[in-house]
DNA sequence: TTGTAAGCGTTATCAC
DNA sequence: GTGATAACGCTTACAA
């Protein structure tokens, strides 16, 4: 940074004005090929790089987007980040990481970064709406989560239908006593997955015994605890629909600990298809989400907004797929 | 961004000069408490936020650091990122993500971002040195990897000793025929872990049969393939030291596929202690790295450099711990 | 086609 | 203590 060559230096050496240099560098047509080449050669020779702060100040853009998640430590976001990063890079944008840890102060702080010019746009995956007041028409795309009534563009999956399909799989195997380990309801994503569970059960004419819906927090340990409570009952389930893979790992772990075979005694279905679920034992039956595509699509939508396009009013819903593996089987008869 | 209030607006409303406003906002002592309060109230009222581009241009700092990894999709980096992010945030820095995919062009591109003012410093985890020429004394901290002869500050673990300890564990259980699935040698990290394997074997007076060292690439599939080649031999090993957990998952998966029990027939030790290894079946014996602390420490070192401190000449070596779990046992007699 | 000059919104250096 | 004012390095009317 210190003593980097600037446009002025190139201008002096080339015997032209700074304006011409700027135009040449921008590949403007308003400059002869000859002078343009001279400037380019000089720039290369001096190893010139434009100062981004100066450029940003002048152009009022940062060519940076902000990706805000609840927890950077969650492996679920990896492929999404990867998709966002790839698409952003292609378009010349850098990606800033935002981590809220569900802290409201941090959430608004990241929105502020949009206004102070830190970033031009945001991909929001916290499920929390922008703070009220003057926050309209922000270049924000909501991914994964749903922020109802926000009017923001969304890129998501159909959680209800996906969950329903997963439970229907269990039912079609012959299970009747199916329990659900949910996410942290009343967050929309958790509510929708639970809703899918309920719909599938209802349509099959099955009742959900009291206490068969247990609330978790999406972490491994929580899967273990919820599982423990379900299997301390006198009427334990023969199958579990778990709201995400991590809790499913925990549930399987706990089942093994208390001596129940998976899928022999209990079938388990997860949600997310983390990259490890296929190497898990038993390989986990789970709902696959197109994470990488969610990231790429969200970034593409954001790019559209940033280049002045109109925002799509309808949420973009990407398809999921049920991956049937070794953790589900017919119930023991 | 558009039509945000600026210092000038506050100055006019407060009836003072922009200089005074700037000073008041900076909590300078060169301003009366009274005017300071007036400015602060006004700033809050107008919902003022300083323009970062203008500030960066003037101060010649971006208050941003760049964290560059080989593959953002690798879960191994999660806790490190989390540590970096937390420490950076406390110090008022934002974190930009860089992803090289081992592409040399990208690697230099991220170094360029340091020079063009995109970021003030970098935490480098690619193992690739800065491009030659004029790159001296860059505010770069190398984490995890080793870039020998670079003169850059390092935050790392002792891979040789950690690997050695893992293999000694297998030896102490009574194993004699121990094979090694390595990372992509000749990369330093992979070489060091293999070196630890060799030293432990040598010290125990054990020979390593030809072909007992198989080269992987740190991914699950590679663990499966390497394992397959080892167990197609007439003298298969009774224990495996695998250079990372992901390949260990793959190896265990493959062992199960060919009907070998873990740890009954074959013991397996991994490296990294990914957050899933304890929920894996069998729970994986592995070398635990203080990932979060590596991230925090690397960022702290970088902050020291950025605030003008002298760089530590000696690498900072953080301790590892062997986590003995269920994937290792004495060999079948 | 090129040059001149006016900003972009701050912070820092002077005076007063 | 406070106020003019000059940078910071770039882009872009407007002139020539």
């Amino acid at each position: 940074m210190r003593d980097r060559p600037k446009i002025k230096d190139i201008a002096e050496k080339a015997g032209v004005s700074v304006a011409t240099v700027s135009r040449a560098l921008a590949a403007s047509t308003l400059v002869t090929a000859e002078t343009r080449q001279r400037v380019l050669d000089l720039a290369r020779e001096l190893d010139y790089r434009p100062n981004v702060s100066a450029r940003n100040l002048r152009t009022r853009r940062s060519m940076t987007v902000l990706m805000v998640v609840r927890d950077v430590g969650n492996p679920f976001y990896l492929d999404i980040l990867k998709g966002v990063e790839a698409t952003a890079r292609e378009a010349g944008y850098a990606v800033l990481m935002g981590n809220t840890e569900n802290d409201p102060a941090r959430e608004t702080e990241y929105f502020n970064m949009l206004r102070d010019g830190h970033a031009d746009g945001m991909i929001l995956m916290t499920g929390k709406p922008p703070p009220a007041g003057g926050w309209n028409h922000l270049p924000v795309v909501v991914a994964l989560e749903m922020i109802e009534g926000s009017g923001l563009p969304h890129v998501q999956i159909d959680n209800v239908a996906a969950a329903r399909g997963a439970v229907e799989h269990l039912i079609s195997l012959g299970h009747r006593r199916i329990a659900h380990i949910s996410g942290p309801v009343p967050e929309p994503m958790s509510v929708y997955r639970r809703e899918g569970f309920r719909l599938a059960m209802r349509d099959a004419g099955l009742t959900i015994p009291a206490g068969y819906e247990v609330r978790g927090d999406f972490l491994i340990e929580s899967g273990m605890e919820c599982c423990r409570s379900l299997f301390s009952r006198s009427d334990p389930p023969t199958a579990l629909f778990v709201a995400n893979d991590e809790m499913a790992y925990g549930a399987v772990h706990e089942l093994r600990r208390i001596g129940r075979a998976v899928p022999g005694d209990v079938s388990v279905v997860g949600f997310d298809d983390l990259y490890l679920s296929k190497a898990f034992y038993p390989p986990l039956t789970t709902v696959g989400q197109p994470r990488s595509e969610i990231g790429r699509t969200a970034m593409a939508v954001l790019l559209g907004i940033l280049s002045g396009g109109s925002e799509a009013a309808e949420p973009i819903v990407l398809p999921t797929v049920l991956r049937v593996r070794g953790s589900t089987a017919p119930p023991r008869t």
Side-chain angles (χ1 to χ4, degrees), chain A residues 65-88:
Chain A
V65 297
L66 190 53
M67 168 162 164
V68 183
V69 300
R70 291 169 190 271
D71 172 18
V72 271
N74 191 322
F76 179 79
Y77 294 118
L78 283 177
D79 290 335
I80 299 179
L81 171 57
K82 202 166 178 171
V84 168
E85 199 269 345
T87 306

Side-chain angles (χ1 to χ4, degrees), chain A residues 42-57:
Chain A
L42 232 30
R44 179 180 311 254
E45 184 187 327
L46 296 179
D47 197 15
Y48 168 80
R49 292 225 102 207
N51 178 308
V52 295
S53 297
R55 169 179 289 170
N56 291 350
L57 175 59

Side-chain angles (χ1 to χ4, degrees), chain A residues 74-120:
Chain A
N74 191 322
F76 179 79
Y77 294 118
L78 283 177
D79 290 335
I80 299 179
L81 171 57
K82 202 166 178 171
V84 168
E85 199 269 345
T87 306
R89 242 182 56 83
E90 283 168 18
Y93 280 81
V95 180
L96 269 175
M97 278 306 305
N99 187 32
T100 67
E101 312 265 1
N102 292 323
D103 175 353
R106 291 212 209 174
E107 282 157 3
T108 59
E109 185 53 35
Y110 287 116
F111 278 105
N112 278 330
M113 290 177 70
L114 238 48
R115 306 193 310 152
D116 64 22
H118 237 115
D120 298 334

Side-chain angles (χ1 to χ4, degrees), chain A residues 116-153:
Chain A
D116 64 22
H118 237 115
D120 298 334
M122 176 192 274
I123 292 178
L124 184 61
M125 301 197 273
T126 64
K128 303 298 164 52
W135 294 93
N136 302 326
H137 298 297
L138 244 44
V140 173
V141 174
V142 179
L144 276 182
E145 311 264 351
M146 291 129 281
I147 306 184
E148 287 155 0
S150 66
L152 295 170

